[in-house]
Amino acid sequence: MLEALQPIEFWHWWVFAIALVVIEIFASGFFFLWLGVAAAAVGFILLLLPETTLQAQLLIFAVISVVSVVAWQIFRRRHPVFTDHPQLNRRGEAYVGRVLTLDAPIENGVGWVRVDDSRWKVVGEDMAEGTTVRVTDADGAVLKVERA
């Protein structure tokens, strides 16, 4: 029991940093990565200054965490990633502007359309089956359409 009350050492922070990076691998989003960087930094500070209190360690961890996450967000806004496939993984948005034929009538604002090899739910004004429509927007897996 007394071992649990011993002060935290620098390598505890490094193990915590590794755990946070492993969580980042599975969670993605570059949030836990920066917390891991902060934990590693506290470990280095504790290696250099072993008399640092637990309260100071936690304060340093909190400050570095917030600063690193905010700095990453600012960097991402200033340096956006451009790609030759901007709608990759946003398939519905790739269909905006396309002209399609209704596979089922739109009744009560909801219908179906066949797009390539799949069937998509559409919303718009009521129309008969076979009507030509233009996709104006995508909301997840639902296409918003209007008469073409």
Side-chain angles (χ1 to χ4, degrees):
M1 178 77 179
L2 292 178
E3 292 121 17
L5 299 176
Q6 295 298 321
I8 293 178
E9 296 184 29
F10 69 92
W11 63 268
H12 290 115
W13 283 103
W14 290 350
V15 170
F16 184 48
I18 291 169
L20 288 167
V21 171
V22 169
I23 290 171
E24 177 64 39
I25 291 170
F26 294 106
S28 75
F30 289 108
F31 178 75
F32 289 103
L33 174 68
W34 301 113
L35 298 181
V37 167
V42 173
F44 281 114
I45 291 170
L46 194 56
L47 180 63
L48 298 174
L49 304 167
E51 68 280 350
T52 308
T53 65
L54 178 60
Q55 292 82 1
Q57 294 172 40
L58 293 174
L59 179 64
I60 293 167
F61 174 72
V63 169
I64 295 174
S65 295
V66 169
V67 168
S68 61
V69 169
V70 169
W72 171 248
Q73 293 297 326
I74 291 170
F75 178 82
R76 280 189 52 212
R77 285 193 192 110
R78 290 186 181 164
H79 301 91
V81 177
F82 295 105
T83 176
D84 56 344
H85 300 292
Q87 276 105 14
L88 185 65
N89 295 329
R90 295 191 314 237
R91 195 168 151 202
E93 291 179 20
Y95 297 138
V96 174
R98 221 167 141 179
V99 177
L100 307 166
T101 305
L102 288 177
D103 193 40
I106 298 180
E107 295 175 341
N108 298 322
V110 180
W112 294 91
V113 67
R114 184 160 301 282
V115 183
D116 300 328
D117 63 344
S118 58
R119 198 167 182 223
W120 285 72
K121 185 177 184 179
V122 294
V123 295
E125 65 181 66
D126 289 357
M127 294 179 241
E129 180 179 343
T131 304
T132 305
V133 294
R134 181 180 323 275
V135 180
T136 59
D137 195 14
D139 183 17
V142 178
L143 302 176
K144 296 178 182 177
V145 298
E146 65 183 17
R147 192 177 304 270

